[in-house]
Amino acid sequence: MLSRCLQLRGFMVIHNNFMRQAILEAQQAAREDEVPVGAILVAQNGTVLAKTHNQTIALSDPTAHAEILAIRSAGQALGNFRLLNTTLYVTIEPCIMCMGALLHARVSRIIYGAKDPKWGAAGSCYNLSANPRLNHTIDVQAGILEKECRELIQAFFREKRAG
């Protein structure tokens, strides 16, 4: 039992570390006046394949969400459109578009911070990650550093409404 507790604690430390990197990316997005979402795509061995944040405004591209940019970057780095045995850490629950791309890329796991009650496609509005009609499913874990992730995006929109 103690061994299992230590193992779980170790996983939480790892998850928190990668999510903190995603939060740094989200903070960079906010500094660039982009919606503050950050993503880190990690290989099974712990190698970071991509670190990105939203860039829809900078790139004039509605598909330039952090998750999509991470997939593109990792695919280029690996020379493969299949991102098997990878984990995506993202500050906010992926939207429908991003979930579709993550499913096509065969990402194994998504770990996200805060739910997105308006656009979330990993359990909030939709649950594409576990749809039995699709030929791939993604393991999803929510709530890693949830408070920090939620506060970051809420502060951004609060400032937008005030300004």
Side-chain angles (χ1 to χ4, degrees):
M1 185 63 148
L2 179 60
S3 169
R4 179 79 173 135
C5 283
L6 291 174
Q7 184 180 21
L8 289 173
R9 181 181 291 177
F11 282 125
M12 289 309 297
V13 168
I14 291 167
H15 293 332
N16 287 349
N17 287 340
F18 284 125
M19 189 59 75
R20 287 190 199 293
Q21 291 181 51
I23 289 170
L24 290 174
E25 287 291 324
Q27 290 169 337
Q28 180 61 36
R31 285 190 292 277
E32 296 171 9
D33 205 31
E34 299 273 1
V35 175
V37 177
I40 308 293
L41 191 63
V42 181
Q44 189 172 24
N45 67 3
T47 301
V48 174
L49 300 172
K51 289 183 179 187
T52 64
H53 55 273
N54 277 3
Q55 296 183 54
T56 58
I57 296 167
L59 298 176
S60 299
D61 181 355
T63 69
H65 290 197
E67 301 95 323
I68 300 292
L69 296 175
I71 291 169
R72 289 177 183 162
S73 180
Q76 289 293 311
L78 295 173
N80 197 336
F81 68 101
R82 295 279 191 242
L83 304 175
L84 303 173
N85 302 311
T86 58
T87 299
L88 179 77
Y89 292 85
V90 62
T91 55
I92 303 299
E93 179 181 4
C95 70
I96 298 166
M97 174 185 69
C98 292
M99 280 302 302
L102 292 161
L103 286 159
H104 280 289
R106 304 298 194 269
V107 169
S108 298
R109 184 167 41 171
I110 298 168
I111 297 174
Y112 71 85
K115 291 182 181 293
D116 184 346
K118 293 185 179 181
W119 288 94
S124 289
C125 292
Y126 306 96
N127 193 0
L128 296 181
S129 60
N131 188 321
R133 293 175 292 189
L134 301 174
N135 66 346
H136 178 69
T137 59
I138 301 175
D139 180 45
V140 175
Q141 183 176 349
I144 301 296
L145 301 181
E146 179 178 8
K147 181 180 178 200
E148 294 94 323
C149 294
R150 184 175 57 267
E151 287 175 355
L152 181 61
I153 200 157
Q154 286 176 342
F156 177 82
F157 284 113
R158 204 170 25 253
E159 184 178 309
K160 285 286 182 197
R161 285 189 296 272

